[in-house]
Each structure stands twice: as C-alpha cells, then as structure tokens.
Amino acid sequence: MQRPVVLVFLIDALGWSIAEHFGFGRGVLPVRRPLGTVLGYSSAAIPSLLSGARPVEHGAWSMFRRAQSDGSFAFLRRLPRLPHAIEWRARGHVRRWIDRRGAVGAYYDLYEIPLHLLHAFDVAQKGNPFEPGGLRSETVFDWMLTRRIRYRLWDYRTEEARNFADAQAALADAPDVVFVYTAELDALMHRVGIFHDAVGARLRTYASFIASMRAAAARARRELVTIVLSDHGMTDVAATVDIWGALDAG
C-alpha cells in the first residue's frame, strides 16, 4: 500500500444544519462538528479557511471596496447612465470586457451595481486565493508548494461533474492531495431554498463522489483520507424589512 492521499472537498454554503437535516456524511465521516465562520460570506471566509488568518490579516473581507484612482473599473469612468432595459443587456458585455483586461483574478460578481457607477468601486481581492501567492497571507497552496507536496486542484471555474470525474482519474497519477471546491450547492439553494428535495439529491451526488474516490483509491492501493468542509451556511428568507422606508418615515 502506498502513502495515503488526502481528499479535501470544500462545499460552498453547506451549513451544519443543512448537512444534519439530510444526514450528509453520517457513517462515512465519523468525525464531524459545526464550526464558526467569519463575517463577510465567501469573500472573507474562503481566504480565512485557506490561510488560517483573519480578514484583517489576509486583506480580503467584502467583495467590493471604495476605488482609488487605479481601481479595476477605472476605465469605465466615462460610461454613461443607461436606461434599465439597455443596461441589463449591456451588463454581460461589460463583464466580458472587464475579464478580457485580466485585472481581477478572484471571483467577483457585478450584482446590480449601476454600470455608470462601477468606476467608484474596486474588488477587495485581486488575486486568486486558490493559487500560490493569491493572498498577502500564506495559504495552504503556498505551504504545499514550498514543501513540494503534489496536489491537484479543481474549483468553480469548471463544471462540477467534470471536476468530479477528473479528480477521480487523477488518483492514477499519485498526487498527495486532491482539492475539489464546488459552489453549485450554494447556487442551487439560492434558487430553491435550503431544505428542498433538490438539495438532498445534490448531497447524495456528493456522497457518491466521495464513495467513488474511495473506490478509485482502493484500486490504486492507496488509503484515502477525506476532509469535507464549508465556508458558511445559508438560511431561507422568511420575511423582509423595508429599512429605507423606516428611515424615511422617522
């Protein structure tokens, strides 16, 4: 038997209550417990998870900050205010224009920021935390690189099912660590809620992936050490409060 291979499976938004509700990992992942996270959702939590540092140390907290003169979107300063219907059609073109410039390495989303105001914003995190040198704090990827630990990584940039298949096939190349990050559960729960049947079905897919990785490792005569973790949880919206309306009324 060769040395063990470590599977790190990072599932975005898999909160403890969600995992327990569907019984995800029971009997397969015997050491399990809830963990706290940091304020800032994935923008802060993933860098903290990958580095072991606080947001004040690794420099990533919110997705956006106020732009300086050299902000990532400064070249859009002269973009005029567009009618709403046209702006929604133009948004995709503007996003592709930004991406072609290559100024942002990390994940970001324009959300509903008016395009003519984008120049006043900048992404708080320029580097990719899933790559060595992606944060100002050392990450696990920096650590593995300096210690010549052979790892393979798959993240949100490629489709989940493809990542699962490629990760399983990669065991034949004898890596030390297989790191798989998926954000598709997060996107699903934003659409259907946290306890929908579709969420249970997706978690069964994840359980099948872990089982297939163990089977592939056994065929390669390697022990598989499995670590499943998440960056934050999620909750359903039960009610809303009109904050601006309350302030105006006051």
Side-chain angles (χ1 to χ4, degrees):
M1 182 73 72
Q2 301 182 52
R3 66 185 183 280
V5 58
V6 178
L7 167 63
V8 181
F9 189 16
L10 174 53
I11 305 173
D12 202 299
L14 179 61
W16 175 254
S17 61
I18 300 167
E20 288 297 283
H21 175 83
F22 291 104
F24 175 70
R26 287 180 187 161
V28 179
L29 305 170
V31 179
R32 49 196 293 120
R33 60 177 58 91
L35 298 174
T37 188
V38 296
L39 181 64
Y41 298 104
S42 296
S43 299
I46 287 180
S48 289
L49 187 153
L50 297 178
S51 67
R54 297 173 299 169
V56 70
E57 297 166 323
H58 58 61
W61 181 55
S62 61
M63 184 171 291
F64 294 101
R65 63 177 174 84
R66 185 173 181 177
Q68 304 300 316
S69 59
D70 59 346
S72 302
F73 312 124
F75 69 102
L76 297 172
R77 185 176 302 276
R78 291 185 173 82
L79 196 66
R81 184 166 189 163
L82 301 172
H84 182 74
I86 296 176
E87 176 159 308
W88 277 106
R89 294 189 181 95
R91 186 169 293 271
H93 296 288
V94 171
R95 172 61 190 262
R96 288 189 288 273
W97 188 14
I98 295 170
D99 290 345
R100 282 197 297 270
R101 295 176 67 93
V104 183
Y107 169 81
Y108 73 100
D109 195 306
L110 297 180
Y111 294 114
E112 296 185 15
I113 299 175
L115 295 179
H116 70 286
L117 297 179
L118 265 179
H119 70 275
F121 293 82
D122 196 3
V123 288
Q125 181 181 317
K126 299 294 183 70
N128 181 359
F130 290 98
E131 295 179 354
L135 292 175
R136 69 187 187 199
S137 296
E138 181 187 54
T139 69
V140 65
F141 302 111
D142 296 306
W143 182 84
M144 288 191 289
L145 182 66
T146 58
R147 287 159 180 79
R148 298 186 179 181
I149 296 173
R150 298 180 65 245
Y151 73 90
R152 297 288 305 278
L153 167 69
W154 290 267
D155 62 18
Y156 63 89
R157 287 175 170 79
T158 45
E159 191 261 338
E160 182 181 87
R162 175 184 166 188
N163 289 348
F164 291 169
D166 289 348
Q168 183 177 339
L171 290 178
D173 296 329
D176 299 305
V177 175
V178 174
F179 195 113
V180 180
Y181 167 60
T182 180
E184 294 192 18
L185 180 69
D186 183 295
L188 173 65
M189 292 192 297
H190 274 296
R191 296 194 302 270
V192 303
I194 63 174
F195 296 137
H196 193 277
D197 289 345
V199 176
R202 182 60 60 90
L203 292 178
R204 288 192 292 274
T205 298
Y206 295 165
S208 296
F209 165 62
I210 294 172
S212 69
M213 289 292 288
R214 290 191 170 186
R219 289 193 297 271
R221 299 182 59 79
R222 300 188 69 184
E223 177 189 358
L224 185 72
V225 177
T226 305
I227 301 171
V228 177
L229 65 166
S230 187
D231 53 345
H232 61 79
M234 187 179 292
T235 189
D236 290 332
V237 176
T240 59
V241 176
D242 180 7
I243 298 176
W244 284 116
L247 291 174
D248 290 340

